[in-house]
Amino acid sequence: MKQIVVLGAGVNGLCAAVQLAEHYYNVANVTLISEDVTPNTTGDVSAGLWGPYYCGNTPDHKIVQWSADTHVFFHQLWRNGLAARIGVSLQPCTRLTTDPAGYPDPAWRDNVFGCTKVSQSELDRLSYEHGRKYTGGYHFATFTCEPSGLLPYLFNRFINVGGRFVRSRVECLDSLLRNRKADLVVNCTGLGSLELVSDKEVLPIRGQVARVCAPWVFEILLDDSDDGNYVIPNTETVILGGTHQMNDFNRTVSQEDSKFIFDGCERMLPSLKSALVVNEQVGLRPGRSAVRLELEQYRAGPQTVPVIHNYGHGGCGVTLCWGCGVEVLELSKSLNLATTTRSRL
């Protein structure tokens, strides 16, 4: 039996692990190794919104492909009776900007449902109501897929198809390969790649959010400006955000950031002033100049082991997760491992 090792149990690690375990069923042992699992991952803080965001210099065609595959995956979950269990919702969304250049035509517009420009009269109305000066925006419908439901679903799906889980911290690839046979390693360690493979391009993007009880909110509002806020309904709470502080490792809730979040979101939706605050959280998104998804022949002592790197998704972990897993699987096929296919929801 071939031995495949996946490092990292965040949303990208689990999506890759599931697809590998299902494709190589009865042909390879797939082992997932991670120090943390849900509910203690960065993804658990996320609202799970599908929407390309902070992808750095990643080529547009890659973002479009990966995000399209993920959107289709969420649509399948939603249509096949898993929406309530996983927390998948199809919702109207408005994305806005105050950038003087306006809002360029998004490369991903054909991935979503009914994407149309916000009219000038609507921009004027929203600018007046929010106390902003919006220069462009788009309306469309898209999915939220809550990591608090998605991550356990993926983990159980992986285990049920024969995947193995080991709770452990892996600090460097050399030590892993000295102690464990592997025909393929898939590195989905996110921010951990700063140490694991000494990638100095990796940096944390600090994100603080608040969860409130506001069941009357049924629409996603996003101000993509650097000083903008967002309101994202989930099935039981509404996520208010947020911050994107580059190279900031601080995981402590900041009162200054809390004020920015609540003041900004309440300007967008004044009814939020009466919403009960459930909690406030901080997560560190795994930032990078561009998503790294590539196959490397890694030299470890006398042996060479193929390593597929899949990290640096920034604020797009949920948006790109299944699509990046698809590409991980395709890259693995180039290694000519014997295959049999088993795929299910």
Side-chain angles (χ1 to χ4, degrees):
M1 295 279 281
K2 299 292 185 179
Q3 303 296 321
I4 299 174
V5 176
V6 180
L7 302 178
V11 68
N12 275 276
L14 283 170
C15 283
V18 165
Q19 294 184 64
L20 289 165
E22 291 181 350
H23 186 80
Y24 294 108
Y25 182 70
N26 278 345
V27 174
N29 294 320
V30 182
T31 302
L32 177 67
I33 302 177
S34 181
E35 181 180 21
D36 290 317
V37 293
T38 183
N40 300 313
T41 72
T42 297
D44 287 286
V45 180
S46 166
L49 172 67
W50 184 100
Y53 180 72
Y54 281 115
C55 299
N57 298 320
T58 309
D60 279 350
H61 74 277
K62 287 291 189 181
I63 297 300
V64 170
Q65 183 59 57
W66 297 333
S67 62
D69 288 342
T70 304
H71 201 271
V72 170
F73 174 60
F74 290 164
H75 197 184
Q76 290 173 337
L77 296 175
W78 182 75
R79 294 183 62 183
N80 283 281
L82 293 169
R85 172 183 163 192
I86 299 176
V88 184
S89 300
L90 179 61
Q91 302 183 61
C93 177
T94 301
R95 289 183 71 161
L96 302 158
T97 186
T98 61
D99 191 308
Y103 208 132
D105 191 27
W108 44 262
R109 67 174 301 164
D110 291 335
N111 291 354
V112 295
F113 304 116
C115 188
T116 58
K117 279 188 177 182
V118 178
S119 67
Q120 186 59 53
S121 61
E122 185 74 351
L123 288 174
D124 292 341
R125 181 183 69 81
L126 292 170
S127 295
Y128 175 77
E129 291 180 356
H130 298 175
R132 305 283 283 169
K133 188 173 178 57
Y134 295 127
T135 56
Y138 283 85
H139 295 301
F140 53 93
T142 190
F143 292 101
T144 55
C145 189
E146 299 169 35
S148 59
L150 176 63
L151 293 174
Y153 163 77
L154 291 170
F155 186 84
N156 290 330
R157 179 168 163 176
F158 171 71
I159 296 299
N160 289 339
V161 80
R164 304 172 182 181
F165 173 66
V166 176
R167 186 186 291 271
S168 178
R169 177 181 176 84
V170 178
E171 296 185 346
C172 72
L173 284 180
D174 285 351
S175 63
L176 171 74
L177 295 172
R178 278 196 301 269
N179 297 299
R180 178 180 290 271
K181 179 182 182 299
D183 297 289
L184 170 64
V185 175
V186 182
N187 170 27
C188 302
T189 57
L191 198 57
S193 289
L194 180 62
E195 295 182 3
L196 183 73
V197 293
S198 300
D199 188 341
K200 303 307 180 186
E201 290 190 48
V202 175
L203 78 163
I205 305 174
R206 181 181 179 275
Q208 180 171 320
V209 300
R211 291 180 181 266
V212 302
C213 184
W216 57 88
V217 179
F218 296 100
E219 180 183 5
I220 300 162
L221 287 173
L222 298 169
D223 182 346
D224 283 335
S225 314
D226 285 341
D227 60 346
N229 296 94
Y230 56 79
V231 178
I232 304 174
N234 278 176
T235 53
E236 295 184 359
T237 58
V238 176
I239 313 302
L240 310 182
T243 67
H244 51 273
Q245 293 137 337
M246 309 299 286
N247 207 24
D248 188 337
F249 285 91
N250 180 16
R251 294 179 181 268
T252 303
V253 171
S254 160
Q255 293 307 307
E256 181 180 351
D257 289 338
S258 296
K259 178 175 172 53
F260 165 75
I261 290 168
F262 286 111
D263 286 353
C265 292
E266 288 168 8
R267 279 195 301 271
M268 297 172 84
L269 284 178
S271 64
L272 290 171
K273 293 177 182 179
S274 60
L276 174 68
V277 178
V278 177
N279 60 38
E280 296 181 76
Q281 297 175 290
V282 174
L284 303 181
R285 308 178 187 98
R288 197 174 181 274
S289 59
V291 175
R292 186 182 185 192
L293 209 174
E294 62 183 2
L295 174 62
E296 175 190 15
Q297 295 297 330
Y298 186 85
R299 185 75 178 174
Q303 63 176 329
T304 299
V305 178
V307 176
I308 298 174
H309 298 285
N310 178 25
Y311 64 87
H313 302 87
C316 290
V318 171
T319 301
L320 306 179
C321 61
W322 193 258
C324 286
V326 170
E327 183 152 333
V328 167
L329 179 58
E330 290 304 311
L331 287 171
S332 77
K333 292 177 183 178
S334 70
L335 302 172
N336 296 318
L337 299 172
T339 64
T340 184
T341 301
R342 174 174 174 172
S343 181
R344 60 189 178 85
L345 286 176

